[in-house]
């Protein structure tokens, strides 16, 4: 039976909470294994060596069980924070104290929303934007401004226009292999925007969840590393795309002045991040050849991208997309169809993609869909593209 209670008693902020069609589609595809899903952002679970994982788990149980099964430091397990500094960050003012380990980078987004956003806070985001960031920030009901994205980063004309006409407090950006577009800021734009943000004194929340997924193994300098105002810049990283989302571990590089506040908010969330996962991940980094592991992930994703690109060119030449340099998505424009119709008919035909409107800062339809290529097998991918092509042609005739 439906009940009125939630709306009567819920806090005002709950009316701003955004739901996610992606999670709904994921639920559907888990419940119905016949659906071929290009929808999730699911890293391929077979990329992590089961042998190394098994021996690391055994060693943890033998040697580190007291630590692994205890509460831990709210900032995170120190050996892991040191490894992150050595291998996975580039801001020059780093020290283990600057790293706070979170439950996925998603928790970092939530904490930063809580720290910086009120109803009168002007927050700049990209268009399109990572939906999970909108979900994290929306309950605080900030005023969102959005800058249109080009394949090499934000449109600079619009960025300067927005910054000159409004006092922007926070810019949330995902500069490398953005979710959903995979657009990647050029080095030139990174430098220009870093200095603009310094000049205007704007806090940057830089989401680097896909930083290490370049198909050629390139790593761009973070925008934060190019800023002079290191007190106004946060970098979020994640183990989800480079090891496994199952560990639920990420980190935020936090400027010194905000560390105690960030940690106190995290304590209110969960006291500390999963200690067991942290010990395992730290040992994994010790045991595996991490650079070699990254290269094999990059090669694998690059090959999967090639396969999807050639399937799309063969079976759906009407679809338009730019070639990604990294990441796990194609951002595909399907001309001359209604987004809702294509989505509905695809699901009926047993294939799922995420409609572009999900990544729009404002309510509007889109002719783009996000297609993941990292999860489906090659044969399933071909069958999925054929199903989409049939649906697309049926709608268009
Ligand atoms: C751009 C971006 N940021 C953050 C996240 C959250 O990742 P996690 O919480 O698994 O680290 C995701 C997940 O897909 C993402 O695509």
């Amino acid at each position: 039976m439906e009940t009125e209670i939630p709306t009567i008693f819920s806090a005002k902020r709950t009316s701003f909470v955004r739901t996610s069609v992606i999670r709904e589609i994921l639920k559907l595809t888990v419940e119905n294994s016949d659906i071929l899903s290009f929808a999730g952002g699911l890293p391929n679970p077979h990329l992590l060596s089961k042998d190394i994982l098994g021996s690391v788990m055994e060693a943890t149980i033998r040697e580190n069980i007291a630590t692994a099964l205890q509460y831990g430091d709210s900032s995170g397990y120190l050996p892991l924070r040191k490894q992150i500094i050595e291998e996975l960050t580039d801001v020059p003012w780093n020290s283990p104290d600057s790293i706070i380990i979170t439950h996925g980078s998603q928790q970092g987004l939530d904490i930063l929303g809580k720290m910086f956003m009120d109803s009168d806070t002007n927050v700049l985001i990209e268009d399109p934007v990572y939906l999970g960031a909108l979900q994290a920030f929306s309950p605080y009901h900030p005023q969102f401004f959005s800058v249109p994205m080009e394949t090499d980063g934000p449109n600079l004309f619009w960025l300067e226009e927005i910054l000159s006409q409004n006092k922007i407090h926070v810019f949330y950006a995902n500069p490398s292999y953005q979710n959903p577009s995979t657009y990647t800021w050029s080095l030139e734009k990174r430098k220009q925007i870093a200095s603009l943000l310094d000049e205007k004194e704007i806090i940057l929340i830089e989401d680097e969840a896909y930083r290490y997924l370049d198909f050629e193994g390139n790593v761009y300098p973070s925008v934060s590393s190019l800023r002079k105002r290191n007190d106004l810049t946060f970098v979020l990283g994640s183990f989800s795309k480079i090891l496994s989302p199952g560990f639920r571990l990420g980190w935020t590089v936090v400027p010194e002045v905000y560390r105690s506040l960030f940690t106190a908010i995290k304590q209110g969330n969960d006291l500390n991040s999963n200690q067991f996962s942290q010990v395992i991940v730290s040992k994994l980094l010790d045991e595996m050849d991490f650079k070699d592991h990254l290269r094999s992930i990059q090669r694998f994703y690059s090959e999967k991208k090639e396969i999807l690109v050639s399937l799309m060119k063969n079976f759906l030449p009407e679809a338009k997309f730019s070639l990604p340099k990294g990441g796990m998505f194609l951002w595909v424009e399907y001309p001359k169809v209604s987004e809702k119709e294509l989505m509905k008919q695809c699901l009926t035909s047993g294939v799922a993609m995420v409609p572009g409107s999900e990544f729009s800062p404002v309510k509007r339809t889109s002719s783009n869909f996000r297609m993941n290529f990292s999860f489906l097998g090659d044969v399933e991918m071909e069958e999925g593209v054929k199903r989409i092509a049939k649906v697309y042609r049926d709608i268009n005739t």
Side-chain angles (χ1 to χ4, degrees):
M1 198 179 77
E2 287 288 317
T3 163
E4 292 291 307
I5 289 173
T7 46
I8 298 170
F9 290 107
S10 303
K12 284 194 195 75
R13 79 182 70 87
T14 60
S15 65
F16 308 119
V17 168
R18 266 187 79 130
T19 51
S20 161
V21 166
I22 305 178
R23 299 288 138 196
E24 295 302 315
I25 298 174
L26 278 183
K27 206 169 131 209
L28 210 85
T29 54
V30 169
E31 283 162 6
N32 180 354
S33 56
D34 292 339
I35 294 183
L36 299 173
S37 179
F38 293 99
L42 306 179
N44 197 301
H46 304 298
L47 294 173
L48 186 61
S49 155
K50 304 287 174 303
D51 290 343
I52 298 184
L53 181 61
S55 68
V56 158
M57 295 202 56
E58 238 178 66
T60 301
I61 291 165
R62 257 197 337 268
E63 298 156 17
N64 289 82
I65 199 67
T67 311
L69 291 187
Q70 256 318 337
Y71 287 110
D73 184 341
S74 302
S75 306
Y77 183 53
L78 186 59
L80 184 58
R81 280 154 55 208
K82 286 184 177 157
Q83 287 160 311
I84 291 170
I85 290 293
E86 279 157 24
E87 306 247 18
L88 296 164
T89 52
D90 70 346
V91 284
W93 56 89
N94 257 338
S95 75
D97 288 341
S98 65
I99 303 290
I100 299 184
I101 295 183
T102 51
H103 274 126
S105 49
Q106 189 66 30
Q107 187 187 35
L109 291 173
D110 181 58
I111 294 173
L112 293 170
K114 211 177 243 177
M115 267 170 77
F116 291 115
M117 298 177 197
D118 287 313
S119 57
D120 58 355
T121 311
N122 291 339
V123 175
L124 181 63
I125 53 181
E126 298 166 312
D127 183 6
V129 62
Y130 166 53
L131 170 69
L134 285 185
Q135 286 193 294
F137 301 155
S138 291
Y140 307 108
H141 200 40
Q143 302 299 313
F144 286 119
F145 294 76
S146 59
V147 59
M149 293 297 287
E150 297 167 346
T151 51
D152 66 345
N155 176 304
L156 287 180
F157 170 80
W158 281 112
L159 181 65
E160 282 172 16
E161 196 72 6
I162 294 167
L163 297 188
S164 67
Q165 289 183 16
N166 306 278
K167 175 60 198 148
I168 297 294
H169 297 92
V170 177
F171 184 14
Y172 163 74
N174 180 197
S176 307
Y177 326 106
Q178 194 229 25
N179 179 3
S181 66
T182 70
Y183 297 159
T184 298
W185 298 16
S186 64
L187 183 57
E188 203 39 52
K189 279 197 176 172
R190 285 169 196 251
K191 286 182 185 159
Q192 279 175 281
I193 295 172
S195 85
L196 254 177
L197 297 178
D198 279 344
E199 184 198 319
K200 303 272 182 192
E201 303 200 301
I202 294 171
I203 287 180
L204 175 65
I205 299 178
E206 182 172 15
D207 184 340
E208 285 283 78
Y210 298 88
R211 178 177 168 82
Y212 296 98
L213 296 192
D214 186 286
F215 299 137
E216 304 289 325
N218 297 321
V219 182
Y220 282 84
S222 64
V223 180
S224 298
S225 72
L226 303 169
R227 289 194 67 172
K228 293 198 176 69
R229 291 297 303 270
N230 57 24
D231 57 330
L232 296 180
T233 205
F234 294 78
V235 189
L236 294 108
S238 175
F239 285 110
S240 293
K241 320 292 175 185
I242 51 178
L243 286 181
S244 159
F247 295 118
R248 295 311 300 129
L249 289 180
W251 63 91
T252 307
V253 187
V254 181
E256 196 174 351
V257 280
Y258 292 112
R259 276 176 215 157
S260 58
L261 181 59
F262 190 102
T263 312
I265 295 176
K266 180 168 164 61
Q267 284 167 356
N269 270 192
D270 59 7
L271 306 181
N272 63 264
S273 293
N274 184 324
Q275 182 81 348
F276 195 77
S277 276
Q278 292 186 77
V279 175
I280 299 282
V281 166
S282 171
K283 271 192 180 301
L284 264 177
L285 294 179
D286 273 345
E287 293 303 314
M288 67 202 294
D289 182 337
F290 191 60
K291 289 207 162 57
D292 192 52
H293 171 72
L294 281 183
R295 273 312 292 144
S296 67
I297 293 181
Q298 290 156 351
R299 266 199 302 271
F300 177 83
Y301 286 155
S302 171
E303 284 162 18
K304 298 294 280 186
K305 180 258 307 176
E306 291 293 330
I307 292 169
L308 183 57
V309 165
S310 77
L311 287 170
M312 294 297 286
K313 285 185 174 161
N314 271 342
F315 295 107
L316 251 168
E318 301 92 326
K320 297 177 191 157
F321 50 85
S322 61
L323 286 177
K325 293 194 178 92
M328 48 178 71
F329 304 113
L330 272 195
W331 180 236
V332 182
E333 188 189 339
Y334 288 89
K336 293 195 249 162
V337 281
S338 127
E339 181 190 43
K340 254 199 172 144
E341 183 70 3
L342 185 59
M343 158 98 178
K344 200 171 122 214
Q345 299 296 341
C346 278
L347 281 177
T348 310
S349 301
V351 59
M353 313 180 274
V354 184
S357 56
E358 277 297 289
F359 308 99
S360 168
V362 290
K363 267 203 174 356
R364 63 154 191 255
T365 57
S366 156
S367 47
N368 282 75
F369 279 78
R370 191 192 73 179
M371 295 181 72
N372 168 269
F373 49 74
S374 60
F375 189 68
L376 284 179
D378 301 352
V379 176
E380 296 165 307
M381 205 140 67
E382 178 168 340
E383 174 58 24
V385 171
K386 285 181 178 164
R387 286 185 197 176
I388 298 168
K390 177 163 184 340
V391 168
Y392 182 78
R393 303 252 154 70
D394 286 349
I395 295 177
N396 265 324
T397 49

